[in-house]
Amino acid sequence: MNHTDPDRTERELTEALAALADGVQAAPDAYRTARGEWLRRERRRRLVLAVLITVVFALATLIGLWVLNEAPSHPGVIFSGLPSPQGSTR
């Protein structure tokens, strides 16, 4: 059986990752570019959300007005226009 020392494994892994990290070169304006893209996406997301809320609100208002317009124009049972028995006892 081959038993490896955990400290040796950790040391070798640390050295390998450090060597790999040393080879990575970031662009000088990478942060500014990434932040600009993120802000652009955030503005677009907020704009889309605002438009969606406006459309849903307008649609709900139009549907509500259409339903109220489709209500029957004749008085219902509750508002039949007949005088109440209490009103005639003067």
Side-chain angles (χ1 to χ4, degrees):
M1 275 197 192
N2 186 5
H3 295 284
T4 58
D5 184 21
D7 292 332
R8 178 179 166 220
T9 303
E10 184 178 347
R11 187 182 72 246
E12 288 177 355
L13 183 58
T14 303
E15 290 171 1
L17 289 175
L20 183 63
D22 287 339
V24 175
Q25 297 295 324
D29 62 343
Y31 175 76
R32 190 174 352 149
T33 304
R35 186 171 185 272
E37 288 180 21
W38 180 81
L39 288 174
R40 194 170 22 260
R41 282 191 211 129
E42 182 69 15
R43 279 192 300 267
R44 182 175 177 165
R45 184 188 65 85
R46 287 179 186 228
L47 179 65
V48 167
L49 186 63
V51 168
L52 184 64
I53 288 171
T54 303
V55 167
V56 168
F57 182 77
L59 191 62
T61 302
L62 289 174
I63 290 173
L65 290 173
W66 177 73
V67 167
L68 287 174
N69 191 38
E70 292 296 315
S73 59
H74 58 82
V77 176
I78 296 174
F79 304 107
S80 61
L82 297 175
S84 65
Q86 297 166 349
S88 63
T89 58
R90 274 190 172 200

